[in-house]
Amino acid sequence: MADRSVLVTGGTGGLGGAVTAAFVQAGWRVVVPQRESATGAAPAASGPVRVTADLTDPAGVERAVRAAADDPAAPLRAVVNLVGGYASGGRVHETPVEEFERMLSINLRPTYLVTQAALPHLIAAGGGAVVCVSSRAALAPFPGAAGYATAKAAVLAFANAVAVEYRDSGVRCNTVLPSVIDTPANRAAQPGADHRRWVTPTEIAPVVRFLASDDSAPTSGAAVPVYGRA
């Protein structure tokens, strides 16, 4: 039986599937929110527990966090914020403010809401870990992605703030910064790229699991590059 739970947002995505599998294999009770209605719930021994929730909505976030924290035998000890998205555009003067703000809503709002709702449960469990996903673009922007780079930089700044604010409460917060992740969607969007240089979900997943585990207990406020060879 699992003795700890982890909430993995974006657990049905290209990276999320690998991260979810890594935690299940390590014996965690894994809770994965999804927008679509789930049929039944599987125990952590055979797969993740799924809960229907819109993570841009505070009520949906509360429902997801309650599902992750409702097993007394497996208290919530980790949150992994994978929800996010990317959209290319023009340069800043060509980008409507609505598109800029959409990148903030997709990448920052769910990370903030989920972390905010989960923190009291992590503290009550005696401490735990939050892992966020930023991007190399937060440190090295590229043309046509000002909104995305800004949103991912905001995720990094938020994670660092959580690390400082909750240090004395036993809650750690770290961030991984991927380059281009080798997913089917990214391959379809960039068919001419050298995909061998991209980082794969199965390469990132163990890093995320490590940052959520007691093995990384001394580490908080870290920004970990996971670039592959890109």
Side-chain angles (χ1 to χ4, degrees), residues 54-59 61-62 65 81 108-119 158:
D54 177 358
L55 298 184
T56 64
D57 173 53
V61 169
E62 286 291 342
V65 171
N81 290 304
L108 182 60
R109 182 179 174 91
T111 294
Y112 180 85
L113 289 174
V114 170
T115 304
Q116 179 190 49
L119 280 166
F158 171 69

Side-chain angles (χ1 to χ4, degrees), residues 25-110:
Q25 291 165 8
W28 289 65
R29 174 178 174 265
V30 184
V31 178
V32 176
Q34 58 186 39
R35 283 180 176 269
E36 297 79 12
S37 178
T39 56
S46 60
V49 176
R50 301 189 183 276
V51 56
T52 304
D54 177 358
L55 298 184
T56 64
D57 173 53
V61 169
E62 286 291 342
R63 182 165 55 253
V65 171
R66 281 199 308 270
D70 71 354
D71 187 344
L76 181 62
R77 296 299 302 273
V79 173
V80 178
N81 290 304
L82 302 182
V83 166
Y86 167 76
S88 61
R91 293 186 295 170
V92 170
H93 78 281
E94 301 166 325
T95 302
V97 68
E98 292 80 8
E99 292 183 15
F100 182 85
E101 291 176 338
R102 181 171 176 268
M103 287 291 95
L104 292 172
S105 296
I106 292 173
N107 290 285
L108 182 60
R109 182 179 174 91

Side-chain angles (χ1 to χ4, degrees), residues 9 39 41 58 71 98 104 134 140 157 165 175 181-182 185 193 200-201 208 213-214 227:
T9 76
T39 56
D71 187 344
E98 292 80 8
L104 292 172
S134 180
E165 288 189 1
T175 311
I181 303 175
D182 190 358
T200 67
V208 172
S213 73
D214 293 340
Y227 297 164

